[in-house]
Amino acid sequence: MKFFIDTANLEQIKEAQDLGVLDGVTTNPSLMAKEGIKGEENIKKHYQTICEIVEGDVSAEVISTDYEGMIKEGEELAALHPQITIKIPMIKDGIKAIKYFSEKGYKTNCTLVFSVGQALLAAKAGATYVSPFIGRLDDISTDGIELIAQIVEMYNYYGYGTQVLAASIRHTQHIVKCAEVGADVITAPLNAIMGLLKHPLTDSGLEKFLADYHKLNG
Ligand code: E4P
């Protein structure tokens, strides 16, 4: 399972990269705004900086909602760096744009996916990644992990090449559950990824090993 970090914060991206297990980055307009990145040129520069920090795919989202606008914007984003994946919303023109980009050999991430039917359309259009939003489904009392499991099963049944990128992850247990149901990729905030390190028995066990060593060796 690939690990992407879901942020536009450069310090957090560097910290995750430094851990040695990072496979990519996802961003969205809200995450860029949270970092105070504004203006077309600054936004593009920020994507380039992220691409220089990590080795894997970096999702950059289009703002346009019409086909022509998405094509123009997506081509400009893709021209910034070979690691850029064009992130496109799950709407009618978005599906048409994903089809266009997949035929041209560009990587795409179909975002804002909340149902198996939407994931089916994204796969048929040739999306590289499909992003079902787990946390936002959980927020409305719907089982986000169950959706991941259903999409994984459907893609396996038909042999679709689209990778299931579990998004809107809120905590460490979401990552573990995604691994259990076979998500290809998770994108998560840094604290959810770092939470995988933690177990109280690891801490107490290490403390005892070191104490025993120091008893004899000073
Ligand atoms: C995914 O690509 C999205 O950027 C992100 O996971 C959305 O997460 P949120 O629901 O926490 O905003």
Side-chain angles (χ1 to χ4, degrees):
M1 188 170 77
K2 288 191 224 167
F3 274 28
F4 288 2
I5 187 168
D6 195 29
T7 185
N9 181 286
L10 298 182
E11 289 315 308
Q12 292 186 15
I13 293 169
K14 281 180 197 154
E15 195 177 333
Q17 175 64 27
D18 199 43
L19 191 62
V21 299
L22 192 67
D23 300 297
V25 177
T26 53
T27 62
N28 64 37
S30 303
L31 292 171
M32 294 293 272
K34 194 171 163 198
E35 300 308 315
I37 317 295
K38 60 177 179 179
E40 209 177 305
E41 285 318 303
N42 288 333
I43 290 172
K44 284 181 175 169
K45 225 183 281 166
H46 200 75
Y47 286 138
Q48 279 169 324
T49 306
I50 294 173
C51 290
E52 281 156 20
I53 298 171
V54 300
E55 279 166 23
D57 290 347
V58 175
S59 285
E61 190 160 339
V62 298
I63 305 302
S64 308
T65 53
D66 64 297
Y67 176 74
E68 285 75 18
M70 285 189 215
I71 301 303
K72 182 176 177 290
E73 223 187 301
E75 283 179 340
E76 284 172 11
L77 288 170
L80 292 175
H81 200 281
Q83 285 165 240
I84 292 285
T85 295
I86 309 161
K87 199 173 181 189
I88 300 174
M90 164 46 74
I91 54 176
K92 191 174 164 193
D93 282 25
I95 288 297
K96 286 164 64 180
I98 288 169
K99 178 76 180 168
Y100 169 89
F101 285 126
S102 73
E103 280 174 355
K104 297 259 171 200
Y106 291 96
K107 286 174 286 187
T108 55
N109 175 355
C110 183
T111 191
L112 289 165
V113 166
F114 295 92
S115 74
V116 176
Q118 290 179 325
L120 176 58
L121 267 183
K124 283 191 70 68
T128 314
Y129 300 103
V130 65
S131 287
F133 278 32
I134 303 178
R136 293 192 194 187
L137 280 171
D138 287 359
D139 289 346
I140 57 158
S141 303
T142 304
D143 190 345
I145 296 294
E146 179 58 23
L147 176 64
I148 300 293
Q150 289 169 341
I151 297 171
V152 167
E153 190 184 350
M154 186 265 287
Y155 280 7
N156 285 343
Y157 185 84
Y158 288 108
Y160 287 126
T162 300
Q163 297 175 55
V164 181
L165 195 174
S168 185
I169 281 180
R170 300 279 163 77
H171 48 72
T172 303
Q173 199 54 19
H174 268 155
I175 301 178
V176 174
K177 291 281 169 203
C178 283
E180 284 173 7
V181 299
D184 299 290
V185 192
I186 56 93
T187 188
L190 183 63
N191 62 349
I193 295 172
M194 290 303 186
L196 291 166
L197 285 166
K198 290 185 195 144
H199 197 288
L201 291 178
T202 303
D203 297 339
S204 59
L206 181 60
E207 202 179 314
K208 177 83 168 69
F209 285 159
L210 295 180
D212 288 345
Y213 173 87
H214 286 301
K215 249 185 255 165
L216 287 188
N217 297 280

